Amino acid sequence: MKKHLKLTALILTLSLLASMLAACGGQPSQPSGSNAPAATGEQEAMTIQWAFTPPSGSNDEKWHHVVGDRVNENTSGAITYEYYPNGTLGNEKVTLEGVISGTINQASISPNVVATVMPEMNVLCLPFVFDSLEHYYDVVSSEEYYEKMNEAANKVGMQYLGVDLAVPRNISLKGDPVIVPSDAKGQVLRVMDGTIYTDMMKLWGLGSSVISYGETYTAMQQGVIDGIENSNDGNLTMKFTEVVDNTTNTYHVYHTQATFMNLNLWNSLTAETQEAIHQAFLDTYPEVKEEMPVLAEECAQQVRDAGVEVYDLTDEQRQEWVDASQPLYEQYRSVIGEEFYDWFIDFVDSKR
């Protein structure tokens, strides 16, 4: 029997439970297997390590377990996962290097970090490229997208498997809100690592600072930064609602982590096991496509309930952000690679 995500019913509890907990445990053993793909045959039983940075008890961790349980079921118990949440095996840069080298079997990593070695992943960070969460999942759940991503991922020694829970990002500030780009007065926001977010803020008239997520609360409290580019879910989890006055739901990027496996390990699996893993990811997409928009609405309301002024954009205001973002598209077309960029933009348009 398939296991289903129950995010909507659990949203309040899970959002509050997602604190920065440290996981314990030693280094897992490496699974065995040849480097050559096996088209047929019985899969040797193995345990695969899966590293990710979201904390224990979070929605993201629960999603990892749902996918892992499905893989275990689809392979009749041959594949078992060991989970390493909260950056136990290192931050995203470390786990990215580990997956490429093979010292880490599998990891979920933010697109902006993966883009440092696989620039094609910058497409998921382009502002306003998706119309909605539903549109986002229509794109990333397609076989064509999966195949194109693996053309790029295989070149750097990884197999792309899929994405997890996407959340819309916004701008949260102390002081006056920035509802449209013309409101920006150079306020400095904490942004994620990767040049595209720094370039995005600069284009909109905002400053940026790449600092540790765990240090952001204190940095805002002490006035080192004026706010954060984040999600409502993240604002609740990290209690940023205590130090910001307002949030503008720009929903400029639907942020998620993408999961990659070391390519040699992937090639050591039987074709049947590869298909079982692929199917486990595919099976989650219809569920999260239905549930994540509800999650986003619930989180926005919880931010309001916490006393933060929340601004939703009108169509005209959103268009101002879209217009202001166009130079970033032109700038990153060459960074991403013109052929891949053009394919992606056309493909996204075809899913509207």
Side-chain angles (χ1 to χ4, degrees), residues 248-266:
T248 301
N249 286 337
T250 50
Y251 292 176
H252 49 281
V253 169
Y254 295 103
H255 180 73
T256 185
Q257 289 186 316
T259 302
F260 294 87
M261 181 182 285
N262 173 264
L263 185 58
N264 287 337
L265 173 58
W266 174 260

Side-chain angles (χ1 to χ4, degrees), residues 320-337:
E320 288 190 46
W321 287 98
V322 172
D323 293 342
S325 302
Q326 292 311 301
L328 196 70
Y329 280 64
E330 299 168 11
Q331 177 183 350
Y332 274 82
R333 181 171 181 257
S334 59
V335 174
I336 293 165

Side-chain angles (χ1 to χ4, degrees), residues 1-223:
M1 179 180 296
K2 292 183 177 179
K3 302 171 181 64
H4 296 279
L5 294 170
K6 298 297 183 184
L7 296 177
T8 303
L10 295 174
I11 176 59
L12 178 59
T13 302
L14 298 182
S15 294
L16 296 178
L17 279 175
S19 56
M20 300 301 292
L21 302 175
C24 300
Q27 289 293 328
S29 60
Q30 297 294 309
S32 60
S34 66
N35 290 333
T40 60
E42 184 177 352
Q43 177 63 56
E44 177 186 359
M46 64 172 63
T47 298
I48 297 176
Q49 59 184 193
W50 193 348
F52 46 94
T53 54
S56 300
S58 65
N59 291 332
D60 296 88
E61 188 200 34
K62 288 181 177 291
W63 173 88
H64 286 80
H65 281 271
V66 167
V67 176
D69 288 349
R70 284 176 172 166
V71 171
N72 183 262
E73 181 180 335
N74 291 350
T75 59
S76 300
I79 301 297
T80 303
Y81 278 103
E82 287 182 351
Y83 305 95
Y84 294 83
N86 201 44
T88 308
L89 300 187
N91 62 29
E92 291 189 310
K93 287 184 177 180
V94 171
T95 55
L96 174 63
E97 294 168 359
V99 172
I100 292 173
S101 67
T103 59
I104 295 176
N105 304 150
Q106 180 174 312
S108 298
I109 310 165
S110 296
N112 46 295
V113 175
V114 181
T116 60
V117 298
M118 181 181 155
E120 292 87 350
M121 286 298 286
N122 277 307
V123 295
L124 295 183
C125 306
L126 291 171
F128 303 103
V129 71
F130 299 108
D131 297 337
S132 64
L133 280 164
E134 293 88 347
H135 183 209
Y136 170 87
Y137 280 111
D138 284 343
V139 171
V140 301
S141 63
S142 69
E143 284 298 317
E144 184 176 349
Y145 178 88
Y146 175 80
E147 292 171 3
K148 289 290 288 188
M149 276 298 176
N150 270 313
E151 288 179 15
N154 289 174
K155 293 177 183 178
V156 296
M158 300 191 297
Q159 175 74 16
Y160 166 78
L161 302 181
V163 296
D164 62 9
L165 310 180
V167 292
R169 298 186 73 82
N170 49 35
I171 294 174
S172 301
L173 287 162
K174 299 188 299 180
D176 295 333
V178 172
I179 302 175
V180 292
S182 59
D183 294 331
K185 302 294 187 293
Q187 297 97 323
V188 177
L189 304 184
R190 184 271 179 187
V191 298
M192 293 186 293
D193 202 0
T195 59
I196 193 166
Y197 281 99
T198 297
D199 292 339
M200 194 185 304
M201 296 304 116
K202 182 178 180 180
L203 186 62
W204 292 341
L206 296 162
S208 61
S209 178
V210 179
I211 61 176
S212 168
Y213 199 44
E215 297 174 0
T216 301
Y217 184 103
T218 302
M220 285 193 283
Q221 192 176 46
Q222 296 178 348

